[in-house]
Amino acid sequence: MYLVVDAGLSASQLVLIGTAQSAVVFVAEVPAGIVSDLRSRRVSLVIAHVATGTGMVATGFVTAFPLPAATQALCGLGWAFASGADVAWITDELDDPVGVPRVLAARARWDLVGAAAGIVGFGASAAISELRIGIITSGLTMIALATVVVRFPERPTRFAAEHGRSRRASYDTLRRAVRAAALDREVRTVAIAWMLVNGSADAYGRLVETRLIELGFSDSDRPILWFTALGLALLGISTVVVHVLERRMDDERMARRTIVAASLVGVVGLIAFASATDVRVALAGVVLTTGCARPGTVVRTMTEIWVNRRTASDVRATTHSLLSLAEQTGEVALGATLAALASRSSTWAFAGSAALLLLAAALVWSTARGPRPSGGG
């Protein structure tokens, strides 16, 4: 809202900002994972909080394009450093194959609770004062969290202790992570499926608001209130689903079944959403699609847990960065392709999204015939 209302950016400029963010994340993702594996997961998380918070604060002080693109790109750099570092850190510190999946599920649940609280809290701050105050306040809060993260305990990994921070060690870490992901059939298949899911979700996310408005949703002079209420409701539903699954995440079989089920439910949701002539049917489709498309918390959590269980400690953060790279690839390549279809017909775009989800479900289900888990982590 700030970029549109206060900065007055055009649609093309908003697209360029998103492109700049994606480009930074894509380029920085793997190097950030290597830093996390070789140097410190705690250092990576501190950099992530400071970079993201600084980008948010700076955004609140600029309006003239391309400065907002630069500040949002800084946020993208922070996201790259955060990706995988938190999962690798908690996995190594707990060293508990049973407890870690439950902690990761609890983290996902509290992510949703925090997102809802942030929407209400910082939104109220912006409403009372102005939009830039809400952005600056949230950015300063993010930077303040870095002072908490820096106190986290951390045991240096054996690989980091032996190899230090040399360029050769960085190359070796990347080579080992790529080799491990390529040779492990389940990790490779899950990464491809995650790419397909995100390609589908990106196209759906581009069209959902427009489609709902066409059907009469938020038919008032304050549509932001309706969409905020919808966003909070979806966060609440995802929170309940993750909480139900939280104590049933002990092995890859559960992850496999959950990802397949969520993807198939998402296919039904997309079909309902695309074919709806009544806004209530469309909203039901949105609810069903939420589990696998944006915010996609259920599928994301299960994917992280599955890959995490099959990854060795010395390349864990880098492997999660490769998984995030697959996510970015799906959003950029497949999402752009479906967006091109949407320019001709939204029906074709939704059909393509459903087909990608169906293919992702088939790929994940095919791992049931593969070798049993190797316990690499």
Side-chain angles (χ1 to χ4, degrees), residues 103-302:
V103 171
L104 294 179
R107 183 202 63 163
R109 176 164 51 86
W110 283 104
D111 276 348
L112 295 169
V113 173
I119 290 174
V120 175
F122 292 115
S125 172
I128 294 171
S129 54
E130 53 182 312
L131 293 175
R132 71 170 67 243
I133 299 301
I135 294 173
I136 294 171
T137 302
S138 57
L140 291 174
T141 305
M142 182 70 72
I143 295 173
L145 284 174
T147 64
V148 177
V149 176
V150 77
R151 297 175 180 271
F152 284 179
E154 181 179 30
R155 295 178 297 178
T157 64
R158 176 183 60 81
F159 187 69
E162 290 178 358
H163 294 280
R165 289 171 284 176
S166 69
R167 182 177 302 178
R168 180 179 180 83
S170 299
Y171 170 77
D172 193 36
T173 300
L174 177 59
R175 180 184 60 80
R176 285 158 54 86
V178 171
R179 179 179 175 82
L183 292 180
D184 190 311
R185 175 175 175 266
E186 294 196 16
V187 173
R188 184 177 67 248
T189 303
V190 169
I192 295 172
W194 184 231
M195 179 183 68
L196 296 173
V197 167
N198 280 277
S200 171
D202 192 64
Y204 163 77
R206 292 172 188 261
L207 300 172
V208 61
E209 289 86 0
T210 301
R211 174 74 172 148
L212 288 176
I213 290 174
E214 288 175 352
L215 292 172
F217 183 70
S218 73
D219 190 14
S220 69
D221 58 348
R222 305 192 71 179
I224 188 63
L225 295 179
W226 287 89
F227 279 105
T228 299
L230 176 61
L232 291 173
L234 294 177
L235 288 171
I237 292 170
S238 295
T239 302
V240 172
V241 173
V242 172
H243 181 66
V244 170
L245 295 172
E246 198 169 319
R247 295 189 177 277
R248 298 177 176 86
M249 296 183 173
D250 295 335
D251 56 32
E252 285 112 13
R253 287 178 297 177
M254 183 62 185
R256 178 188 302 111
R257 292 168 183 169
T258 303
I259 293 173
V260 171
S263 298
L264 294 178
V265 168
V267 171
V268 174
L270 280 169
I271 293 173
F273 183 74
S275 61
T277 56
D278 185 280
V279 68
R280 290 169 293 185
V281 177
L283 288 173
V286 171
V287 170
L288 293 175
T289 308
T290 297
C292 55
R294 292 177 178 175
T297 305
V298 174
V299 174
R300 176 184 294 276
T301 302
M302 287 300 185

Side-chain angles (χ1 to χ4, degrees), residues 10-82:
S10 65
S12 61
Q13 289 172 330
L14 292 172
V15 171
L16 286 173
I17 287 178
T19 302
Q21 280 185 326
S22 297
V24 169
V25 174
F26 190 88
V27 172
E29 190 69 59
V30 172
I34 293 173
V35 169
S36 180
D37 277 329
L38 285 182
R39 177 65 177 87
S40 166
R41 279 77 189 263
R42 179 175 57 195
V43 168
S44 292
L45 291 173
V46 170
I47 293 173
H49 282 76
V50 171
T52 303
T54 302
M56 294 164 71
V57 171
T59 299
F61 286 101
V62 298
T63 55
F65 192 82
L67 291 178
T71 60
Q72 290 297 288
L74 185 57
C75 291
L77 180 64
W79 300 340
F81 272 94

Side-chain angles (χ1 to χ4, degrees), residues 319-337:
T319 303
H320 279 286
S321 291
L322 293 174
L323 187 66
S324 181
L325 206 61
E327 174 183 348
Q328 298 298 322
T329 302
E331 289 184 359
V332 173
L334 299 176
T337 301

